[in-house]
Amino acid sequence: YLVRRERPAGVTVIAGYPWFADWGRDAMIALTGLTLLTGRHAEARDLLGTFLASLRRGLTPNNFHDDGGGAGFNTVDGALWLAVALERYVSVTGDLGFARSSLPALRELLDWHLRGTDHGIRADDRDGLLLAGEAGVQLTWMDVKIEGWVVTPRHGKPVEVQGLWLAALGAEARLSDALGERPQFVGALARARESFPAFWQGGAYADTLAADGTPDRSVRPNVALALALPDTPTTPAQVDRVIREVESQLLTPVGLHTLSPLDARYRGNYGGAQVQRDAAYHQGTVWPWPLTAFVELLL
């Protein structure tokens, strides 16, 4: 739901009325379909402005508090989706004036990620990929927390976060080129691209690499999210492998399972008390929005 908020003032997106407020990740993912494809370009610009103005230490709000009294910043992907959405807006509208005024904030965002910011979010000195995670904090879109229990912590290097990290670095380069400026993160982009193939292990992509490199081989839609982004290095054979895996284990008529039904942790029923529902939220429950990444891979 595209809405206008009062504190802070600006256009935003209600993630699920009436039980959710506005969340940075959801707003940036939804921006393309809500505003760009519908021709609501002024609202797209205002929506981007709301979250660009709310950055803190390189992070966009995970969610604004319902009472208007602040925001939570426990998200590793929200700011990276903001970079992706900004480039999409400029590509569709040709609004180089907004690109020029936004580029300093984008560069500061990337610099915070390189140097290190909250919740252990930082570029790994060893390979340039993005590390994230601390005990008791949920940071990716698979972000359920039940009385201190983070159901799917995914600490370390989640695969879709690497795709977003590469896309954000690439967005800075392409926007800089469009404006006749020198890109400032070419080296960081090249290094992270060279390191991404570490996710390909045993003929498949890992969902997450722990800080020590240990792979989590859970079959989830996150690999499709990563490969659908513009700067993620892959091969046709690897894309075909992901497509076959998604088709055989995750695809349904309305979206993708968040975990393969072949996994022992799979929960096939999203029902019962809230604790039961939350425990199933990303352990099998079908979500519609990752289906777009799968369609982009097919195209």
Side-chain angles (χ1 to χ4, degrees):
Y1 295 85
L2 199 62
V3 302
R4 189 170 295 279
R5 65 164 24 258
E6 293 183 359
R7 292 186 299 164
V11 172
T12 188
V13 173
I14 296 296
Y17 185 80
W19 54 89
F20 281 130
D22 38 349
W23 294 62
R25 172 192 305 116
D26 304 52
M28 294 302 105
I29 291 170
L31 182 143
T32 301
L34 280 179
T35 62
L36 298 183
L37 299 182
T38 57
R40 303 175 79 158
H41 297 163
E43 287 160 305
R45 177 175 176 147
D46 289 348
L47 175 55
L48 288 165
T50 298
F51 284 90
L52 284 167
S54 303
L55 290 168
R56 188 189 77 181
R57 293 171 55 84
L59 301 179
T60 196
N62 187 40
N63 64 303
F64 289 104
H65 296 162
D66 293 355
D67 61 4
F73 286 85
N74 56 308
T75 172
V76 61
D77 50 347
L80 305 178
W81 278 115
L82 172 59
V84 170
L86 172 62
E87 184 182 17
R88 288 178 178 174
Y89 167 79
V90 175
S91 297
V92 169
T93 65
D95 188 349
L96 294 182
F98 188 72
R100 192 176 301 279
S101 65
S102 302
L103 197 52
L106 174 58
R107 287 171 174 161
E108 183 180 1
L109 179 162
L110 295 172
D111 189 54
W112 271 111
H113 283 70
L114 282 171
R115 289 187 287 123
T117 184
D118 302 337
H119 310 303
I121 299 171
R122 61 178 176 83
D124 191 330
D125 293 336
R126 295 167 296 181
D127 58 18
L129 297 175
L130 202 63
L131 276 166
E134 62 184 12
V137 179
Q138 69 280 31
L139 294 173
T140 74
W141 76 277
M142 295 185 162
D143 61 354
V144 171
K145 182 177 179 179
I146 306 171
E147 297 180 357
W149 170 39
V150 179
V151 180
T152 50
R154 306 182 69 231
H155 293 162
K157 300 170 184 174
V159 66
E160 82 283 7
V161 170
Q162 309 314 312
L164 287 163
W165 174 231
L166 292 167
L169 292 165
E172 189 275 337
R174 289 183 288 272
L175 290 173
S176 296
D177 287 341
L179 294 168
E181 298 186 18
R182 182 175 62 86
Q184 296 185 8
F185 299 92
V186 173
L189 174 59
R191 189 177 185 211
R193 279 179 56 87
E194 290 173 359
S195 300
F196 183 81
F199 280 87
W200 183 259
Q201 300 193 17
Y205 280 108
D207 178 73
T208 305
L209 295 179
D212 64 1
T214 302
D216 176 354
R217 301 183 186 277
S218 302
V219 177
R220 300 184 182 275
N222 301 307
V223 171
L225 296 175
L227 267 57
L229 289 160
D231 298 277
T232 308
T234 189
T235 68
Q238 290 169 334
V239 172
D240 287 344
R241 174 68 166 85
V242 171
I243 287 174
R244 290 196 303 272
E245 189 173 70
V246 171
E247 285 181 332
S248 64
Q249 298 189 49
L250 302 179
L251 183 63
T252 81
V254 293
L256 302 185
H257 283 291
T258 42
L259 181 65
S260 168
L262 303 179
D263 195 294
R265 299 163 297 171
Y266 173 80
R267 292 176 179 253
N269 177 28
Y270 182 73
Q274 182 175 351
V275 65
Q276 294 171 293
R277 298 195 308 273
D278 283 354
Y281 208 37
H282 299 299
Q283 297 290 68
T285 300
V286 171
W287 288 60
W289 74 269
L291 187 62
T292 61
F294 177 63
V295 171
E296 289 192 25
L297 287 184
L298 291 177
L299 292 174

